[in-house]
Amino acid sequence: MNLSDSMTAGQSAKAASPSPLGRVSAQEAVLARLRESIEDGTLAVGSKLPSEAALATGYGVSRSVIREALRSCAALGLTETHTGKGTFVVSARVSTDLVLGRYSARDLTEARPHIEVPAASLAAERRTEDDLDTLRGILDDMLSEDDPEAWVVLDSAFHLQIARASGNKVFETVVSDLREALGKQSGTLNLLADRQRVSDEEHSAILAAIASGSPDGAARAMRDHLAAVTAAIDSLDGA
């Protein structure tokens, strides 16, 4: 079976018969193919995409790979998923601001430095050994995690645990509320800007500063991480 088995009638042979994905990650390749089909009109605005299972079979990849690609299509403003109905093309052009559920990338980049930088600073002062054990465990899992969907969950958990370690319930509540949007942003940046391993290094620096009990160092490491995320988002303009 290939992708054409689940495409609607009238779509071109280009979309119906995908060629081998080549020497890039499966997630990047699937996202690139979907974007191309949407942007060139093969998958027209208003059309319904094949199911996750059909796409996974057609491209010969796991459903988690497909979910990441679809999540990124939605973040780029190209598609919307409606529970029980499927995923539909809503635009043939990438949005100027990533769509991340209730929040946009601009919302996050403006707000996060005011929340997560002081949270990291307080975490360096107040963290317990249990906090550090939890953060180390999450980071160890991130470093060895190959599944993109699982890594995104761990990424959000890492940031939430720092907020918890700050001992400030407001920071913890706000970061918890942002978890879904943070996950969508991370997943999209990992695909489009190859951020996953770089993020691992940045997270390691944040944890090292918190573990050493350096409020200034933790704030600086978190600020550097968030600045790198913002730069990656800015680099997607017109991508």
Side-chain angles (χ1 to χ4, degrees):
M1 177 182 176
N2 60 38
L3 193 59
S4 63
D5 295 328
S6 57
M7 291 287 186
T8 57
Q11 292 175 342
S12 75
K14 179 180 180 181
S17 301
S19 55
L21 292 178
R23 296 181 64 83
V24 294
S25 77
Q27 296 88 357
E28 291 171 318
V30 171
L31 176 59
R33 293 290 177 78
L34 289 172
R35 279 191 64 181
E36 181 181 10
S37 294
I38 291 170
E39 290 173 344
D40 70 11
T42 299
L43 287 169
V45 173
S47 64
K48 181 180 178 180
L49 270 63
S51 67
E52 281 186 9
L55 287 170
T57 300
Y59 283 117
V61 297
S62 69
R63 291 183 68 169
S64 66
V65 167
I66 297 299
R67 279 193 292 271
E68 280 301 304
L70 293 178
R71 180 181 288 122
S72 295
C73 277
L76 291 170
L78 298 172
T79 63
E80 288 182 359
T81 298
H82 300 280
T83 304
K85 295 182 179 180
T87 299
F88 297 84
V89 179
V90 295
S91 175
R93 298 182 63 182
V94 171
S95 171
T96 57
D97 191 16
L98 295 183
V99 180
L100 305 168
R102 289 184 294 161
Y103 307 104
S104 70
R106 182 173 59 250
D107 292 334
L108 293 182
T109 57
E110 289 175 352
R112 291 181 71 185
H114 301 288
I115 300 162
E116 295 194 75
V117 170
S121 178
L122 287 174
E125 293 181 5
R126 299 173 177 174
R127 85 291 186 278
T128 65
E129 285 305 313
D130 285 345
D131 290 327
L132 291 177
D133 287 345
T134 300
L135 284 168
R136 288 175 180 134
I138 295 170
L139 184 58
D140 285 345
D141 288 344
M142 293 174 76
L143 293 172
S144 61
E145 185 56 69
D146 293 324
D147 182 272
E149 192 173 18
W151 187 93
V152 163
V153 173
L154 291 166
D155 180 32
S156 298
F158 183 84
H159 284 271
L160 178 57
Q161 184 58 35
I162 290 173
R164 285 176 177 155
S166 77
N168 185 297
K169 289 294 184 182
V170 174
F171 288 152
E172 179 182 348
T173 300
V174 172
V175 175
S176 179
D177 185 62
L178 295 176
R179 284 187 75 172
E180 181 183 2
L182 294 178
K184 290 180 178 179
Q185 179 173 273
S186 292
T188 301
L189 290 180
N190 288 347
L191 284 183
L192 297 177
D194 196 21
R195 279 278 307 162
Q196 183 168 323
R197 293 312 166 202
V198 178
S199 287
D200 285 340
E201 295 173 5
E202 294 162 3
H203 290 141
S204 295
I206 294 167
L207 177 53
I210 290 173
S212 70
S214 171
D216 289 344
R220 182 168 55 253
M222 180 64 79
R223 189 179 296 109
D224 289 346
H225 171 55
L226 297 180
V229 170
T230 298
I233 291 169
D234 290 343
S235 74
L236 301 182
D237 243 2

